Amino acid sequence: MRFLPVTSNALLVELADLDQTLALLASLQRDPVHGVAELVPAARTILVHFRPSAISAAALVSAIAARDLSQRVERSNILVEIPVRYDGEDLAEVAQLLGITPREVVRRHTGSEYTVAFTGFAPGFAYLSGGHPSFDVPRRSTPRTRIPAGAVGLAGTFSGVYPQASPGGWQIIGVTPVAMWDLNREQPALLQPGYRVRFIDIATLDGVLDAGSAIAAGAPARQPLPTDKAAAAAALKVRATGLQTVFQDLGRHGQAGQGVSASGAMDQAALKMANRLVGNRSDGAALETVGGGLQLQSVGETVLAVTGADAALTVRTADGRQWSVPNHQAVALADGDTLSIGQPLAGARSYVAARGGFAVTPVLGSCATDSLAKVGPAPLAVGDVLDLLPAPAGAVVGTPGLPAADLPTVEQDVVLDVVLGPRTDWFTAESVARLAAQRWQVTPQSNRVGLRLAGEVPLERAITGELPSEGTALGALQVPPSGQPVLFLADHPLTGGYPVIGAVAPYHLDRAGQIPVGAWLRFNPLGAFEELQPSELQLSAQRSSAA
């Protein structure tokens, strides 16, 4: 095993092959290490998120290094059969690459049983291993900008099905009508790690196939989504949305097994403060809006608080009177009053909490809107009416606060501390030095998935080979072939195939979420890149106790 630093609360374990990865994953799931929060397995790695307050990185490395990898993982007794229409636009090219006919490609694809090795990239996307030994095809040199939902593809030795329309670089050999991801199912992701999968040529099936179902032993039944039936105490009517306004809370953690990342508020401290100011639980849902322009009209009497960016607030009554109110404190609105948020002087995102909370239904345990995965409530639209819940008895409105002292602006360089790794050694020494020495500007293509950065001189790789997909952490600086980094934010994919040169320290993530387009960044490495080494003393003690 190799142990590579990711950030102060995550590390990457690299193994020899997929069998070792699955063996270690099974061991860690069967006998968990105290302090480990979540595991994200991939082809040859496991991304381990942990709580530093419960276990140190050094102790975690030693605990994992002592695990026995000789046991092979037992296959699940659940078999999912997926019908496929083999008319994919890359079928002929794949046949040519393998030196066989398209018909033989189909025969080999349907003649092998696959296993769900791990999930990632998108909710419901499963990496399937164990196909025909001849299947080892490269990704497309230029990824497509749009691949349809249900597309069945090959990449390397893996097969997979795209759960929704998205960009992608896999070789597409067919399409299935079966939904890989359906929130109306008790278990939205059809394919779970360990499941067995067999593909069936749809041309060989008799009768009409139900496009909404899979032929599966043990597939969970559909369940209706829960609804919040609490009576609304008041409401807010959306008069204008600004650039984009979405519901956010602290995120949906623990869903990596279904390929779903946590998402959540970009500035979590600001969301907690907004809820505290109106007397709500700190993890309650609030509105996150980018820039200025959001206008909310009170239906009945309401109490709101706006935090995060340093933006001017204005209240306008139904008869046209208007005045300014401070941010970062509770504001009482009468029936018909409209609260407007101006363009921020510093920061990028504002958070609006309402006393009692919003009557919004959680999806997978959270009200967060994940813009990449398309999970959670839809973005707000003009005319929407947002029902509010009654405030619980005894809820106390918090005392006024202040915007964060270090809110980013376009006038001053924003400095972010970074931990180098896990793939720093994939870059030239000059590029590692350039990461810190050069300024990087936030481009207009940035969003909740990540900040796309542009520097005068791109980063160059020392290792040019293809990196197998591996888990990516919040704050990761992934470097695509252009050499211009992307700083992954709340809605980043769980796994990625480009090397990560470093990751923003957790205590600077809220600041990163407030960086406006056009701002300039500088990165401050907290130390040199070094692999993590298990302690021989701890390893000896663990081996002795095991014996």
Side-chain angles (χ1 to χ4, degrees):
M1 300 183 213
R2 291 178 71 206
F3 297 90
L4 305 170
V6 174
T7 185
S8 60
N9 58 7
L11 58 86
L12 193 73
V13 186
E14 183 181 79
L15 299 112
D17 51 35
L18 179 60
D19 284 342
Q20 281 198 0
T21 301
L22 297 179
L24 177 59
L25 177 66
S27 173
L28 293 174
Q29 290 175 333
R30 184 172 56 249
D31 183 15
V33 178
H34 175 69
V36 170
E38 192 163 38
L39 303 169
V40 182
R44 290 182 52 209
T45 59
I46 298 179
L47 177 64
V48 182
H49 295 276
F50 64 94
R51 298 188 302 277
S53 60
I55 188 171
S56 68
L60 179 58
V61 165
S62 296
I64 295 176
R67 293 300 174 103
D68 178 12
L69 304 183
S70 63
Q71 297 185 20
R72 289 297 172 255
V73 179
E74 293 185 8
R75 305 183 72 188
S76 170
N77 60 357
I78 296 179
L79 172 65
V80 180
E81 295 184 326
I82 300 176
V84 178
R85 183 175 293 105
Y86 284 98
D87 56 0
E89 49 194 316
D90 298 324
L91 180 59
E93 183 176 341
V94 168
Q96 185 176 15
L97 285 169
L98 298 177
I100 57 179
T101 65
R103 183 182 295 275
E104 180 63 13
V105 172
V106 175
R107 190 192 70 80
R108 294 183 185 184
H109 196 249
T110 57
S112 303
E113 191 169 282
Y114 287 85
T115 300
V116 179
F118 57 95
T119 57
F121 174 67
F125 189 93
Y127 291 79
L128 307 177
S129 67
H132 192 277
S134 66
F135 281 171
D136 188 353
V137 298
R139 288 180 171 86
R140 294 184 59 81
S141 56
T142 302
R144 290 188 173 88
T145 57
R146 187 181 187 279
I147 289 177
V152 179
L154 303 173
T157 59
F158 292 101
S159 187
V161 183
Y162 284 80
Q164 61 188 23
S166 65
W170 287 39
Q171 305 279 7
I172 304 305
I173 61 173
V175 177
T176 178
V178 175
M180 296 294 107
W181 176 260
D182 186 349
L183 285 169
N184 289 324
R185 285 196 293 251
E186 183 178 0
Q187 190 170 266
L190 179 67
L191 302 180
Q192 300 288 318
Y195 280 17
R196 297 152 51 219
V197 177
R198 184 177 290 276
F199 294 98
I200 301 174
D201 186 354
I202 213 168
T204 66
L205 297 178
D206 295 327
V208 179
L209 179 71
D210 176 4
S213 65
I215 308 168
R222 292 172 178 267
Q223 298 290 334
L225 289 174
T227 55
D228 197 328
K229 298 181 179 179
L236 296 171
K237 187 169 185 178
V238 180
R239 292 297 186 185
T241 63
L243 289 176
Q244 186 181 61
T245 303
V246 295
F247 282 104
Q248 293 297 339
D249 54 21
L250 298 184
R252 52 178 61 81
H253 301 274
Q255 297 290 337
Q258 302 203 75
V260 180
S261 61
S263 188
M266 297 270 274
D267 184 345
Q268 302 223 337
L271 179 134
K272 291 177 182 178
M273 179 185 286
N275 277 313
R276 176 184 65 80
L277 289 173
V278 295
N280 295 345
R281 287 171 46 118
S282 64
D283 60 353
L287 301 177
E288 177 185 274
T289 188
V290 182
L294 177 63
Q295 296 181 15
L296 300 170
Q297 185 177 40
S298 182
V299 180
E301 295 185 347
T302 59
V303 177
L304 307 183
V306 182
T307 62
D310 188 5
L313 306 181
T314 303
V315 173
R316 185 179 68 254
T317 64
D319 59 7
R321 291 176 294 126
Q322 183 172 301
W323 63 91
S324 297
V325 294
N327 54 32
H328 292 79
Q329 74 174 51
V331 176
L333 300 181
D335 184 38
D337 288 353
T338 298
L339 178 71
S340 301
I341 299 178
Q343 188 65 29
L345 300 175
R349 290 174 171 82
S350 297
Y351 294 84
V352 183
R355 183 167 173 79
F358 292 96
V360 59
T361 301
V363 178
L364 298 178
S366 168
C367 298
T369 298
D370 188 327
S371 61
L372 178 66
K374 305 295 189 293
V375 175
L380 266 56
V382 174
D384 284 351
V385 176
L386 313 178
D387 288 339
L388 304 181
L389 300 171
V396 178
V397 173
T399 58
L402 294 171
D406 56 355
L407 281 173
T409 68
V410 295
E411 288 81 19
Q412 294 182 320
D413 288 0
V414 183
V415 179
L416 299 174
D417 290 347
V418 297
V419 176
L420 292 180
R423 299 299 177 184
T424 311
D425 55 353
W426 278 53
F427 296 87
T428 64
E430 294 79 9
S431 289
V432 175
R434 188 179 304 133
L435 177 71
Q438 182 170 267
R439 300 166 79 215
W440 303 89
Q441 189 170 32
V442 179
T443 70
Q445 291 72 39
S446 302
N447 51 32
R448 280 183 51 87
V449 176
L451 299 182
R452 294 185 178 271
L453 309 179
E456 183 178 356
V457 182
L459 302 179
E460 296 177 352
R461 284 169 55 169
I463 301 176
T464 57
E466 188 167 323
L467 178 71
S469 293
E470 58 189 28
T472 54
L474 177 63
L477 285 164
Q478 191 183 72
V479 185
S482 67
Q484 303 289 0
V486 179
L487 197 175
F488 276 171
L489 296 177
D491 291 354
H492 72 279
L494 273 180
T495 59
Y498 297 131
V500 170
I501 193 171
V504 172
Y507 53 80
H508 275 172
L509 290 175
D510 283 350
R511 181 189 297 177
Q514 288 289 1
I515 298 174
V517 169
W520 289 89
L521 308 188
R522 286 190 181 276
F523 295 113
N524 175 45
L526 296 176
F529 168 71
E530 292 182 352
E531 291 187 31
L532 304 172
Q533 301 295 335
S535 163
E536 284 300 324
L537 184 62
Q538 287 180 310
L539 277 176
S540 298
Q542 288 168 353
R543 288 169 184 149
S544 297
S545 63

